Amino acid sequence: MSTSLRNGFEKTALTLISAVLFVGFFQLNKWAFSIFEYSEGISWVFLPAGFRVILVLVMGLPGALGLMLGSWFIDRELFTQSGATLAFLNGVVGGITPWLVMRYLTHRQWLGPQLQSLNVLQLLNMTLIFAAASALTHQMVWLLLERPHLNIWVDIWPMFVGNALGALLMLYGFKFVLDRVRRKA
Protein backbone atom coordinates (compact mmCIF):
# COMPACT_ATOMS: atom_id res chain seq x y z
CA MET A 1 0.00 0.00 0.00
CA SER A 2 1.43 3.38 -0.94
CA THR A 3 2.13 5.99 1.71
CA SER A 4 -0.36 8.48 0.28
CA LEU A 5 -3.12 5.87 0.17
CA ARG A 6 -2.38 4.81 3.74
CA ASN A 7 -2.30 8.46 4.82
CA GLY A 8 -5.68 8.99 3.14
CA PHE A 9 -7.19 5.99 4.97
CA GLU A 10 -5.82 7.24 8.29
CA LYS A 11 -7.23 10.74 7.79
CA THR A 12 -10.59 9.31 6.73
CA ALA A 13 -10.65 7.09 9.83
CA LEU A 14 -9.77 10.05 12.07
CA THR A 15 -12.53 12.11 10.45
CA LEU A 16 -15.13 9.37 10.96
CA ILE A 17 -14.00 8.72 14.56
CA SER A 18 -14.27 12.46 15.27
CA ALA A 19 -17.79 12.56 13.84
CA VAL A 20 -18.93 9.58 15.92
CA LEU A 21 -17.34 10.96 19.11
CA PHE A 22 -18.88 14.40 18.58
CA VAL A 23 -22.35 12.96 18.01
CA GLY A 24 -21.91 10.76 21.09
CA PHE A 25 -20.92 13.71 23.27
CA PHE A 26 -23.77 15.75 21.82
CA GLN A 27 -26.23 13.04 22.87
CA LEU A 28 -24.58 12.75 26.31
CA ASN A 29 -24.88 16.51 26.78
CA LYS A 30 -28.51 16.43 25.67
CA TRP A 31 -29.23 13.70 28.22
CA ALA A 32 -27.20 15.10 31.13
CA PHE A 33 -27.76 18.84 30.73
CA SER A 34 -31.16 19.19 29.07
CA ILE A 35 -32.38 21.13 32.11
CA PHE A 36 -29.83 23.85 31.23
CA GLU A 37 -31.18 24.38 27.71
CA TYR A 38 -31.74 28.06 27.02
CA SER A 39 -33.42 27.53 23.66
CA GLU A 40 -33.22 25.07 20.79
CA GLY A 41 -29.53 24.70 19.91
CA ILE A 42 -28.31 26.79 22.88
CA SER A 43 -27.46 25.37 26.30
CA TRP A 44 -25.91 26.98 29.37
CA VAL A 45 -23.57 23.95 29.55
CA PHE A 46 -22.42 22.50 26.23
CA LEU A 47 -19.80 19.75 26.66
CA PRO A 48 -19.39 19.19 22.90
CA ALA A 49 -17.74 22.63 22.73
CA GLY A 50 -14.85 21.19 24.73
CA PHE A 51 -14.80 18.17 22.52
CA ARG A 52 -14.60 20.45 19.48
CA VAL A 53 -11.47 22.02 20.91
CA ILE A 54 -9.90 18.67 21.87
CA LEU A 55 -10.58 17.05 18.49
CA VAL A 56 -9.16 20.00 16.58
CA LEU A 57 -6.10 20.31 18.84
CA VAL A 58 -5.32 16.60 18.71
CA MET A 59 -6.42 15.67 15.17
CA GLY A 60 -6.23 18.96 13.26
CA LEU A 61 -8.17 19.20 10.00
CA PRO A 62 -9.52 15.60 10.13
CA GLY A 63 -10.98 16.47 13.55
CA ALA A 64 -12.58 19.62 12.11
CA LEU A 65 -14.04 17.68 9.18
CA GLY A 66 -15.37 15.07 11.61
CA LEU A 67 -17.05 17.83 13.61
CA MET A 68 -18.63 19.10 10.42
CA LEU A 69 -19.90 15.62 9.48
CA GLY A 70 -21.16 15.06 13.03
CA SER A 71 -23.03 18.37 12.98
CA TRP A 72 -24.62 17.44 9.65
CA PHE A 73 -25.69 14.11 11.13
CA ILE A 74 -27.21 15.86 14.16
CA ASP A 75 -29.06 18.33 11.89
CA ARG A 76 -29.95 15.70 9.28
CA GLU A 77 -33.72 16.28 9.52
CA LEU A 78 -33.18 19.90 8.42
CA PHE A 79 -31.75 18.70 5.11
CA THR A 80 -35.14 17.34 4.07
CA GLN A 81 -36.98 20.53 5.03
CA SER A 82 -36.43 24.13 4.02
CA GLY A 83 -33.50 24.48 6.46
CA ALA A 84 -30.88 22.71 4.34
CA THR A 85 -28.75 25.84 4.03
CA LEU A 86 -28.89 26.38 7.79
CA ALA A 87 -27.90 22.77 8.45
CA PHE A 88 -25.07 22.92 5.93
CA LEU A 89 -23.63 26.19 7.26
CA ASN A 90 -24.16 25.13 10.88
CA GLY A 91 -21.93 22.12 10.21
CA VAL A 92 -19.31 24.17 8.43
CA VAL A 93 -19.21 26.73 11.25
CA GLY A 94 -19.17 24.01 13.94
CA GLY A 95 -16.22 22.23 12.37
CA ILE A 96 -14.16 24.86 10.63
CA THR A 97 -14.34 27.67 13.22
CA PRO A 98 -12.38 25.77 15.91
CA TRP A 99 -9.78 24.77 13.30
CA LEU A 100 -9.40 28.37 12.11
CA VAL A 101 -9.06 29.58 15.70
CA MET A 102 -6.40 26.94 16.35
CA ARG A 103 -4.53 28.01 13.21
CA TYR A 104 -4.72 31.66 14.26
CA LEU A 105 -3.51 30.94 17.80
CA THR A 106 -0.66 28.82 16.44
CA HIS A 107 0.30 31.53 13.94
CA ARG A 108 0.34 34.14 16.71
CA GLN A 109 2.43 31.68 18.78
CA TRP A 110 -0.14 31.70 21.56
CA LEU A 111 -0.49 27.96 21.11
CA GLY A 112 2.52 25.71 20.70
CA PRO A 113 2.76 22.28 19.11
CA GLN A 114 3.19 20.60 22.52
CA LEU A 115 -0.22 20.56 24.18
CA GLN A 116 1.27 19.21 27.41
CA SER A 117 3.07 22.52 27.91
CA LEU A 118 -0.21 24.49 28.16
CA ASN A 119 -0.56 26.05 31.57
CA VAL A 120 -3.87 26.80 33.30
CA LEU A 121 -4.00 30.44 32.15
CA GLN A 122 -3.22 29.55 28.51
CA LEU A 123 -5.91 26.88 28.60
CA LEU A 124 -8.42 29.37 30.01
CA ASN A 125 -7.58 32.03 27.41
CA MET A 126 -7.71 29.53 24.57
CA THR A 127 -11.07 28.22 25.78
CA LEU A 128 -12.58 31.69 25.99
CA ILE A 129 -11.38 32.53 22.47
CA PHE A 130 -12.82 29.27 21.10
CA ALA A 131 -16.13 29.84 22.93
CA ALA A 132 -16.44 33.42 21.68
CA ALA A 133 -15.57 32.52 18.09
CA SER A 134 -18.03 29.63 18.05
CA ALA A 135 -20.89 31.64 19.56
CA LEU A 136 -20.26 34.59 17.27
CA THR A 137 -20.00 32.57 14.04
CA HIS A 138 -23.10 30.49 14.84
CA GLN A 139 -25.11 33.60 15.68
CA MET A 140 -23.93 35.35 12.52
CA VAL A 141 -25.02 32.41 10.34
CA TRP A 142 -28.38 32.29 12.09
CA LEU A 143 -28.78 36.05 11.65
CA LEU A 144 -27.89 35.92 7.94
CA LEU A 145 -30.34 33.09 7.36
CA GLU A 146 -33.04 34.87 9.37
CA ARG A 147 -33.57 32.08 11.87
CA PRO A 148 -36.97 32.56 13.56
CA HIS A 149 -37.05 34.06 17.07
CA LEU A 150 -33.39 35.09 16.94
CA ASN A 151 -32.18 37.93 19.11
CA ILE A 152 -28.41 37.95 18.55
CA TRP A 153 -27.72 40.45 21.34
CA VAL A 154 -29.43 38.19 23.86
CA ASP A 155 -28.77 34.70 22.44
CA ILE A 156 -25.03 35.10 21.98
CA TRP A 157 -24.37 35.24 25.73
CA PRO A 158 -25.95 31.92 26.74
CA MET A 159 -24.19 30.27 23.80
CA PHE A 160 -20.84 31.81 24.81
CA VAL A 161 -21.32 30.79 28.47
CA GLY A 162 -22.45 27.29 27.48
CA ASN A 163 -19.49 26.84 25.13
CA ALA A 164 -17.06 28.20 27.72
CA LEU A 165 -18.40 26.10 30.62
CA GLY A 166 -18.63 22.95 28.52
CA ALA A 167 -15.16 23.46 27.08
CA LEU A 168 -13.64 24.25 30.48
CA LEU A 169 -15.19 21.15 32.04
CA MET A 170 -13.93 18.97 29.19
CA LEU A 171 -10.47 20.53 28.83
CA TYR A 172 -9.62 20.69 32.52
CA GLY A 173 -10.92 17.14 32.93
CA PHE A 174 -8.81 16.06 29.96
CA LYS A 175 -5.76 17.89 31.37
CA PHE A 176 -6.35 16.32 34.79
CA VAL A 177 -6.37 12.83 33.27
CA LEU A 178 -3.29 13.53 31.13
CA ASP A 179 -1.38 14.86 34.13
CA ARG A 180 -2.23 11.70 36.13
CA VAL A 181 -1.21 9.44 33.25
CA ARG A 182 2.04 11.32 32.79
CA ARG A 183 2.88 11.04 36.50
CA LYS A 184 2.36 7.28 36.48
CA ALA A 185 4.53 6.90 33.39
Side-chain angles (χ1 to χ4, degrees), residues 1-16:
M1 181 181 300
S2 74
T3 305
S4 61
L5 187 60
R6 181 178 168 186
N7 192 20
F9 280 132
E10 287 174 1
K11 288 187 183 208
T12 301
L14 289 174
T15 298
L16 294 175

Side-chain angles (χ1 to χ4, degrees), residues 1 11 20 29-30 36 42 52 62 84 119 130 151 160 162 167 169 173-174 180 182:
M1 181 181 300
K11 288 187 183 208
V20 169
N29 192 83
K30 194 173 175 181
F36 295 116
I42 302 173
R52 280 183 183 140
N119 63 38
F130 273 99
N151 185 348
F160 169 73
L169 286 170
F174 194 65
R180 297 304 170 265
R182 204 174 339 142

Side-chain angles (χ1 to χ4, degrees), residues 27-87:
Q27 295 303 325
L28 174 68
N29 192 83
K30 194 173 175 181
W31 173 77
F33 296 109
S34 62
I35 60 170
F36 295 116
E37 189 171 273
Y38 168 75
S39 67
E40 185 181 352
I42 302 173
S43 179
W44 287 101
V45 178
F46 191 62
L47 290 178
F51 213 63
R52 280 183 183 140
V53 176
I54 291 170
L55 286 173
V56 168
L57 288 175
V58 173
M59 296 183 185
L61 188 57
L65 295 175
L67 292 170
M68 191 168 55
L69 289 175
S71 292
W72 288 341
F73 180 80
I74 291 165
D75 291 340
R76 67 189 175 278
E77 68 274 355
L78 292 176
F79 281 107
T80 60
Q81 300 170 358
S82 62
T85 304
L86 174 64

Side-chain angles (χ1 to χ4, degrees), residues 5-166:
L5 187 60
R6 181 178 168 186
N7 192 20
F9 280 132
E10 287 174 1
K11 288 187 183 208
T12 301
L14 289 174
T15 298
L16 294 175
I17 289 168
S18 297
V20 169
L21 289 172
F22 182 71
V23 170
F25 267 87
F26 186 86
Q27 295 303 325
L28 174 68
N29 192 83
K30 194 173 175 181
W31 173 77
F33 296 109
S34 62
I35 60 170
F36 295 116
E37 189 171 273
Y38 168 75
S39 67
E40 185 181 352
I42 302 173
S43 179
W44 287 101
V45 178
F46 191 62
L47 290 178
F51 213 63
R52 280 183 183 140
V53 176
I54 291 170
L55 286 173
V56 168
L57 288 175
V58 173
M59 296 183 185
L61 188 57
L65 295 175
L67 292 170
M68 191 168 55
L69 289 175
S71 292
W72 288 341
F73 180 80
I74 291 165
D75 291 340
R76 67 189 175 278
E77 68 274 355
L78 292 176
F79 281 107
T80 60
Q81 300 170 358
S82 62
T85 304
L86 174 64
F88 177 77
L89 290 176
N90 212 33
V92 171
V93 164
I96 300 302
T97 299
W99 182 74
L100 290 173
V101 169
M102 182 201 65
R103 298 280 306 200
Y104 174 77
L105 293 176
T106 303
H107 175 73
R108 300 282 305 187
Q109 297 179 345
W110 295 346
L111 181 63
Q114 296 297 327
L115 299 179
Q116 297 91 347
S117 64
L118 284 176
N119 63 38
V120 174
L121 185 58
Q122 289 171 317
L123 197 57
L124 176 63
N125 288 334
M126 180 189 68
T127 301
L128 293 176
I129 292 168
F130 273 99
S134 178
L136 184 62
T137 54
H138 275 94
Q139 292 295 320
M140 293 304 291
V141 163
W142 296 347
L143 180 68
L144 291 172
L145 296 178
E146 299 175 0
R147 185 174 179 201
H149 312 295
L150 177 72
N151 185 348
I152 190 170
W153 300 112
V154 174
D155 295 343
I156 197 167
W157 299 110
M159 184 174 258
F160 169 73
V161 170
N163 285 341
L165 286 177

